[in-house]
Amino acid sequence: MLSVQRAQPLHPAFQLPEPLTLHIAQGQHLAIVGANGSGKTTLGRILAGHLPLRDGEIAYDCARTEVRYVAFDDAWGDALPAAHQLRWHHGEQVQVPTVAHFLGTEVVNSALLLLAFSEIRSLLTKPLHWLSSGELRKLVLVKKLARGARVVVLDEPYIGLDIKARQELTAFLTLMSKHTTFILLLADTANIPLFITHVATIVDKCVVSLVPYLRKQKSQPTPLKKLSSKQIDTGEEVVRLNNVSVSYFGHMVLPPVTWHINRGERWVLTGRNGAGKSTLLSLICADNPMAYALDVSVFGQRRGRGGNIWETKRRIGYVSPEMLRSFTSESLACDIVASGLQATGRIHRSLKREELLASTLWLDKLGGKHLAQRQFHTLSSGEKRLVLLARAFVNEPELLVLDEPFHGFDPVTRSLARQVISDYVSKERTLILVSHYMEEAHGLVDHEFHLTKKEF
């Protein structure tokens, strides 16, 4: 049981239009749904006891130590702050904990681990920086849920998980729901699992409705229609990878790949968590130094044989889930977007007029113009992802590399983003889209490249 009586956070940045009163009875499970920026995360942090209160109170039928709050950012920050950078620098002598060390003996020996994700036990001896973001996501969820949790607030728990992992997570949560109260924060009602009993809709940090959840059997995801894996020779090659593979200390993170992409082609890159998708993209986007020892060419320029890496980066618009951890400063959203003009992490000066106009233009196209003068760290996770997607467009790149670009978007924002992407690539631009939700790729792509995960 959880009871909130007229709660009002102390910090002015999290003030509610009206105090929050909410009751969740024993055996009930709540989904809080709302658009990006509606205040789901604020309410979730209040319910988890993470925000000190100025007024009101929160009562649980368990100890505060049995209350958990799990957010997407934890997938990197709670494991290893620079993990996503260390993946590309395996030659450096850095002590990185293994999966088993990160989880701890108590969790590794827990029977719950066997009921969670089927592949975790095969990862126990591997360093954290060998794992994909989706695999790290699984670890954080298991670690936080396996230690006697009685009340758990999950902020967009399905983000970044492949189809099998989403099914395993739902089964795991359903089993735990018999003795644990769950509160899920979701931007899309389509992600509500069947064990949820009630749905609260939030608008402008106010709960406008709280109703029983009418359970409906989930429909199977629409399969992606058969796409061509052969290129149409347009005479201009954008990406060439010839028998490229990546291994670190005998551990193969990317099996041999040959992939040629021509100008104007639109590809979806598919594969399970840990199949090597992020590693493959790092070779294309000039982030991985291994590219200089491999047969990798981008825009006709072979890596390691001349050419300016920053000039290459300026011709690529890139967004990925990991980038959320790279922009944690107090910079304005428009500055973050404008940093894409130079393919850098940030701009250390005032924006020029034309840079500000370009930044605001792309925010406006994606429905985020109102975010331009907001500090990035004050935005919701969905709003941050919108800003980073605008950053990918701001330099009007020839090649768009969008790794799970719709993460955490509400249906309206997702539809608008899809339209912007579709309009942009219709002008002979090239697209590589990564998604675990095949319905997101419909109408945007004409080719599929699938990576098969190497089993250990």
Side-chain angles (χ1 to χ4, degrees), residues 359-404:
S359 177
T360 306
L361 171 66
W362 282 105
L363 279 173
D364 189 26
K365 285 186 176 183
L366 290 164
K369 185 178 181 179
H370 61 290
L371 305 175
Q373 296 302 311
R374 292 267 306 276
Q375 288 185 330
F376 188 71
H377 75 280
T378 68
L379 304 180
S380 72
S381 58
E383 290 171 330
K384 288 177 180 177
R385 295 183 182 100
L386 186 69
V387 169
L388 294 179
L389 183 57
R391 180 182 181 275
F393 283 101
V394 72
N395 208 30
E396 302 196 8
E398 301 165 51
L399 171 62
L400 270 180
V401 180
L402 307 180
D403 187 354
E404 297 280 3

Side-chain angles (χ1 to χ4, degrees), residues 7 59 111 141 174 250 262 264 266-267 301 331 377 423 446:
L141 285 168
T174 301
N262 295 317
R266 298 170 295 161
W267 288 80
Q301 182 67 52
S331 299
H377 75 280
D423 291 345
D446 46 30

Side-chain angles (χ1 to χ4, degrees), residues 97 172 237 240 260 263-264 296 302 336 349 366 400-401:
F172 183 49
E237 195 171 63
R240 173 179 288 270
H260 302 164
R263 181 180 179 185
V296 177
R302 172 82 179 265
I336 299 295
R349 55 175 171 75
L366 290 164
L400 270 180
V401 180

Side-chain angles (χ1 to χ4, degrees), residues 107-111 113-114 117-125:
V107 178
V108 170
N109 294 330
S110 170
L113 186 63
L114 297 175
F117 299 103
S118 60
E119 297 173 333
I120 285 182
R121 285 203 173 274
S122 68
L123 302 175
L124 292 177
T125 61

Side-chain angles (χ1 to χ4, degrees), residues 265-267 402 405-406 417-423 425 431 433 440-446:
E265 292 177 344
R266 298 170 295 161
W267 288 80
L402 307 180
F406 308 113
R418 277 177 49 85
Q419 188 60 55
V420 170
I421 295 169
S422 179
D423 291 345
V425 298
L431 172 68
L433 172 71
E440 294 178 348
H442 280 288
L444 289 180
V445 299
D446 46 30

